[in-house]
Amino acid sequence: METLSGKFKDLIQDAVRRSRIDSVVTEQNVYQEGDENVLPLLHKMVETLALPGSGVSGFEHLKDLLEKANTGHSCLLFVEHYSNMDLSALHYLLGKEPDPGKDIANALVAIAGIKLNEENPVVAAFTGAHTRLVIYPSRSLSHLDPVKDRAEIVRSNSINRAAMKALMDIKVKGKLILVFPSGTRYRPWDPSTKKGVREIDSYIKSFDYMCMVAINGELLHIRQGDMMDDFVEEDVIRYTAGPVQSCAEFRNAARLKAEAAGVEDKKQAVVDTIMERLEEMHIAAEAERQRLISS
């Protein structure tokens, strides 16, 4: 297999040169518009790797979600996460769907961790191609020392307050707020990376509608180390959207089930239910993808 850096060296260098991403996140720039100068380069990478048969299943559900967003409802999109190409591939494939595919793609606002902006110029260029709301995630906060990292903890609180304020504003303006409920890419050598982040319950509590999306097929295989060393592969990539659901109804049902089972942490139980549903969707979609490949 070729590495990302080997396959797309020129495109990556061009993306980094074009990128205008804010490399330092402050409370003033937590909401960042996607860079239209970089996005076509990422689309070209996806186009090179995505084999015939790639596309979006359950497109009608995403159409339904956009219609609800356009009438002032707050809408969430919970998506599986395997690589730093997931969002670019979704955006590209939506653009290949009939109307309103491009409108759905352009309505996406991803919740993104701060390190995607600040730690690596290549990752930053990939990230900056898409509109996003930057947060200081709990996974990063857990590594901070209350004494040694006091200034960074103060900074994290400031950024997260600003992000939540921005979220309250944009979520009722026709946007689809995309969240990776695991909070990170799935790493096969670390099962904990497929566990949902407890804070996701707060999003569900404060939104009207939600939709889940499974990803099957891999264009970029994550490896330990730098993203540039990830393997690229041509593959049939399928995104499968489930039906639109009421956030309140989903959350209440998950909490009642957890209570009946004697589970104390209801918030985690809600997120665990999200991850279980995504896994069920993934398994079903993979069987369908394999039939598509073999036909």
Side-chain angles (χ1 to χ4, degrees):
M1 289 186 181
E2 283 189 272
T3 63
L4 180 65
S5 60
K7 181 72 173 180
F8 296 118
K9 179 180 178 181
D10 292 341
L11 286 174
I12 291 170
Q13 289 178 343
D14 197 8
V16 173
R17 281 194 298 267
R18 293 189 190 188
S19 179
R20 297 294 180 267
I21 190 171
D22 292 318
S23 59
V24 177
V25 177
T26 69
E27 58 189 291
Q28 281 77 40
N29 65 1
V30 291
Y31 180 73
Q32 301 183 3
E33 292 281 356
D35 192 335
E36 295 182 355
N37 292 314
V38 176
L39 189 57
L41 301 178
L42 303 190
H43 281 178
K44 190 170 183 179
M45 295 180 198
V46 175
E47 183 178 34
T48 300
L49 297 172
L51 294 174
S54 297
V56 180
S57 300
F59 179 74
E60 67 277 11
H61 302 314
L62 298 179
K63 182 179 178 180
D64 182 15
L65 194 67
L66 181 65
E67 289 173 353
K68 285 179 167 51
N70 284 337
T71 56
H73 293 291
S74 54
C75 298
L76 284 168
L77 206 59
F78 287 119
V79 184
E80 287 193 291
H81 198 15
Y82 294 98
S83 81
N84 282 327
M85 201 173 276
D86 290 344
L87 187 51
S88 299
L90 176 59
H91 198 282
Y92 171 81
L93 293 173
L94 283 170
K96 295 299 179 182
E97 294 291 328
D99 289 338
K102 290 182 179 179
D103 291 337
I104 295 171
N106 292 332
L108 297 175
V109 178
I111 302 297
I114 189 171
K115 72 176 184 178
L116 298 178
N117 274 62
E118 298 187 345
E119 289 192 357
N120 182 304
V122 176
V123 174
F126 274 59
T127 302
H130 301 284
T131 299
R132 65 219 172 278
L133 187 62
V134 183
I135 64 168
Y136 211 115
S138 57
R139 285 182 186 272
S140 298
L141 284 170
S142 64
H143 298 299
L144 298 180
D145 184 279
V147 178
K148 295 180 181 179
D149 301 315
R150 183 178 178 183
E152 189 66 12
I153 291 173
V154 170
R155 178 185 179 227
S156 72
N157 291 334
S158 176
I159 287 171
N160 283 343
R161 280 195 301 269
M164 291 306 102
K165 183 178 179 180
L167 180 62
M168 292 304 104
D169 178 50
I170 65 172
K171 73 177 188 178
V172 292
K173 293 184 175 178
K175 301 297 185 182
L176 303 179
I177 308 303
L178 187 151
V179 181
F180 297 118
S182 62
T184 188
R185 294 166 292 162
Y186 172 57
R187 297 165 175 80
W189 59 88
D190 183 2
S192 70
T193 56
K194 212 164 192 178
K195 184 176 180 62
V197 179
R198 187 172 183 267
E199 289 76 10
I200 296 301
D201 177 69
S202 298
Y203 287 93
I204 302 174
K205 185 178 180 180
S206 62
F207 274 72
D208 297 326
Y209 294 99
M210 56 183 274
C211 186
M212 299 184 217
V213 179
I215 303 175
N216 292 79
E218 290 186 72
L219 305 181
L220 188 62
H221 295 263
I222 189 171
R223 301 174 68 200
Q224 296 189 46
D226 193 275
M227 182 186 80
M228 295 289 282
D229 296 325
D230 289 351
F231 286 132
V232 296
E233 181 180 20
E234 294 182 356
D235 203 356
V236 174
I237 182 83
R238 301 292 307 180
Y239 285 73
T240 303
V244 174
Q245 303 177 66
S246 160
C247 288
E249 290 178 7
F250 178 91
R251 184 170 183 268
N252 289 339
R255 290 174 66 88
L256 285 172
K257 182 179 178 180
E259 185 174 353
V263 177
E264 292 186 7
D265 192 342
K266 305 295 192 300
K267 291 185 177 182
Q268 186 62 51
V270 171
V271 186
D272 288 346
T273 303
I274 291 279
M275 301 307 294
E276 289 167 7
R277 297 282 176 84
L278 282 172
E279 182 67 13
E280 291 168 1
M281 290 172 62
H282 182 91
I283 292 171
E286 181 59 23
E288 182 60 33
R289 190 180 78 97
Q290 290 299 328
R291 284 194 289 271
L292 181 65
I293 291 172
S294 61
S295 63

